[in-house]
Amino acid sequence: MRNIIEFDVMDPTFQRNPIPMYEQLHASDAILLDPRIDTYFLGRHDDVTQALRSPAFTTAPLATSAQPVMGDRVLAQMEGPEHKAKRRLVLSAFSGRQNRDRHSRIIARVTSDLLSSPMRHGRVDLISDFGKTYSMLVTLEVLGLPTDRHRDLIAWHEGVASFITSLRVTEAQKQHSLACSRAFIAYLTPLTADLRDGSPSGLVALLCNPVSGEGVMTTSEIIALVLNVILAAAEPTDKTLAYLFYHLASCPVRLERVKKDRQLLAPAIAETLRLNSPVQLIPRQLSEDVSVGGIRLPAGARVFCMPGAANRDPSVFRDPARFDIDRRQVTTALPGNASAHLAFGAGTHVCLGAAFSQIQLELTANILLDRLRGLRISPRFTFQEEGFYTRGPVALPLEFEPCSTANTPKARE
Ligand code: 2IO
């Protein structure tokens, strides 16, 4: 019998570690309800799949949680032909041989450049010394935007992202996020205007100069789409990379295995995304009464899908808390290998950057594994995570053999 468990999503114990609550949800086949914010939380794999695939679960909440800081609607808010056309346009900048080659060159160069200083010192914090800058630089270059202001953009990104990913914001936080959003938009606006009649490579140029009859977009539509892609590409990337290296470096046998057989990187990334989904919440709102596992949720109800919980559903993933690169088989008819995870969502709004992120993470992880000899997590470090909407390691200090000149093709400082 399915039931409803009431909980407090703001409870610090839950936010520090949501996994016991996920386990409780699975043990009793429950749906969670936070009566304080009148919102249901789905964490079973089949419930989350149903919600993400059903048009009755609309993306209306984004109008208040994202649009104010994006300046216009994001892709996830669109439906029908408009969604199809714009999604296809953005996707076209990420697919095809030429784009992939260009992206790979960018990713390899940014990774090498950012490694040159850590290589000399034999240490790097994968979040603060590498990941945050790396994810912003790769995103900007792929989009075809200049990188000289990347430090400002990282700060504005944080302000904008915190608005979207906070379940409750104080007035001061809101004002800060809105100020970051204004600064970001003011920075992007003249850049896109300049690109309107040029044709350098990258998504931004493509959005500014649509070739087909898919309609010319207004400036605020273009900026919101660009911001959407910047956020979606930058926010989860450093987190996933750090989780991946945590899972590798914390287990020397596993690290050696992956170093020797790089084919294992793809399943290691999938397993990382399953076990430590960087996006833990996906908001929806019901356009009509819907039954989820026999429980009737009323029209208008707000719902959060919890991919991080669905990815630990024991009816799909055997021994779900275990990091298992060889994960293949299942306990039910569902596929159950790590790629059955819902970290990229599902349905029409499934992450359009999923394939790009796979290439990005694999390429960068390969370079890190090649260059960082004797890789280990710094002793005395205690692993901690933060965030509940987007979640990631607070830090990941790594140590390795310093290397003065070899393998540092371009020392840039
Ligand atoms: C930017 C949470 C970083 C998306 C979002 C308002 C829309 C959408 C997502 C992901 C990741 C972000 N939502 N990407 O969950 O584009």
Side-chain angles (χ1 to χ4, degrees):
M1 233 335 253
R2 311 289 301 271
N3 65 326
I4 294 182
I5 301 176
E6 292 197 0
F7 85 129
D8 175 4
V9 71
M10 299 309 285
D11 180 350
T13 317
F14 170 74
Q15 298 233 343
R16 216 172 299 128
N17 179 15
I19 292 160
M21 194 72 216
Y22 296 167
E23 287 172 349
Q24 200 185 328
L25 179 157
H26 293 132
S28 55
D29 268 356
I31 286 175
L32 305 183
L33 168 66
D34 185 341
R36 291 159 205 82
I37 55 167
D38 209 11
T39 303
Y40 296 93
F41 291 75
L42 308 181
R44 282 177 47 106
H45 193 278
D46 54 1
D47 290 351
V48 172
T49 307
Q50 175 194 344
L52 294 176
R53 291 191 184 281
S54 156
F57 289 77
T58 74
T59 58
L62 291 173
T64 45
S65 70
Q67 201 173 333
V69 282
M70 306 301 265
D72 210 325
R73 289 169 313 140
V74 294
L75 266 179
Q77 284 172 271
M78 300 170 194
E79 298 295 341
E82 183 195 16
H83 175 250
K84 207 174 159 197
K86 291 189 176 158
R87 186 180 162 98
R88 201 193 298 133
L89 186 61
V90 177
L91 253 177
S92 72
F94 285 96
S95 38
R97 187 59 192 262
Q98 261 195 328
N99 284 325
R100 279 201 301 273
D101 288 350
R102 177 177 162 267
H103 296 165
S104 298
R105 284 195 298 274
I106 291 170
I107 294 160
R109 176 170 40 77
V110 170
T111 304
S112 290
D113 283 0
L114 287 175
L115 275 185
S116 65
S117 160
M119 293 282 292
R120 283 194 298 279
H121 300 105
R123 58 180 70 234
V124 69
D125 182 307
L126 209 53
I127 298 285
S128 60
D129 303 332
F130 182 86
K132 284 193 187 195
T133 314
Y134 158 85
S135 56
M136 184 56 77
L137 287 180
V138 169
T139 302
L140 293 173
E141 289 210 34
V142 163
L143 289 181
L145 289 168
T147 53
D148 54 328
R149 298 280 305 274
H150 72 270
R151 285 199 179 80
D152 290 329
L153 302 198
I154 289 171
W156 297 336
H157 163 98
E158 266 175 25
V160 170
S162 80
F163 182 85
I164 297 173
T165 61
S166 299
L167 297 183
R168 198 182 293 157
V169 279
T170 65
E171 189 53 32
Q173 285 166 334
K174 184 177 168 187
Q175 289 313 322
H176 171 71
S177 293
L178 289 172
C180 289
S181 157
R182 279 193 298 272
F184 217 141
I185 292 171
Y187 171 75
L188 290 172
T189 305
L191 287 175
T192 52
D194 284 350
L195 287 171
R196 272 202 184 239
D197 37 33
S199 56
S201 20
L203 170 68
V204 175
L206 194 72
L207 292 178
C208 295
N209 308 283
V211 271
S212 61
E214 274 161 0
V216 178
M217 281 181 259
T218 66
T219 302
S220 82
E221 281 180 303
I222 293 173
I223 304 281
L225 261 190
V226 171
L227 262 179
N228 184 174
V229 175
I230 292 178
L231 250 84
E235 175 72 10
T237 306
D238 57 328
K239 297 172 174 62
T240 311
L241 190 68
Y243 276 129
L244 171 68
F245 273 80
Y246 174 70
H247 287 301
L248 297 180
S250 61
C251 175
V253 176
R254 183 185 295 148
L255 177 63
E256 269 321 294
R257 233 188 115 198
V258 175
K259 271 182 82 167
K260 288 211 180 82
D261 180 2
R262 301 303 175 87
Q263 303 285 354
L264 292 174
L265 259 179
I269 292 166
E271 186 66 346
T272 299
L273 286 164
R274 183 192 69 80
L275 204 55
N276 297 100
S277 313
V279 180
Q280 294 271 321
L281 294 180
I282 303 178
R284 292 290 186 263
Q285 185 162 20
L286 293 184
S287 59
E288 57 193 67
D289 290 7
V290 173
S291 155
V292 178
I295 295 175
R296 199 157 191 76
L297 307 184
R302 285 183 175 253
V303 177
F304 271 115
C305 295
M306 301 193 291
N311 291 339
R312 287 167 177 262
D313 187 333
S315 65
V316 179
F317 304 102
R318 183 181 286 131
D319 198 359
R322 209 164 80 87
F323 185 95
D324 179 6
I325 298 186
D326 307 305
R327 185 175 290 283
R328 294 244 153 36
Q329 261 330 300
V330 257
T331 49
T332 69
L334 284 157
N337 55 21
S339 60
H341 72 70
L342 295 169
F344 291 117
T348 42
H349 297 295
V350 66
C351 177
L352 70 77
F356 171 76
S357 81
Q358 187 71 34
I359 294 174
Q360 177 178 11
L361 289 166
E362 233 181 279
L363 185 50
T364 296
N366 262 315
I367 297 173
L368 291 173
L369 290 176
D370 287 342
R371 304 265 173 97
L372 310 183
R373 302 281 164 83
L375 178 65
R376 63 198 171 267
I377 297 176
S378 303
R380 290 180 303 280
F381 169 70
T382 355
F383 186 70
Q384 266 184 294
E385 299 162 84
E386 64 182 345
F388 175 57
Y389 197 124
T390 54
R391 189 168 178 83
V394 173
L396 190 67
L398 298 174
E399 295 180 1
F400 41 89
E401 290 159 25
C403 173
S404 49
T405 46
N407 292 334
T408 52
K410 254 201 286 171
R412 183 186 77 171
E413 253 167 315

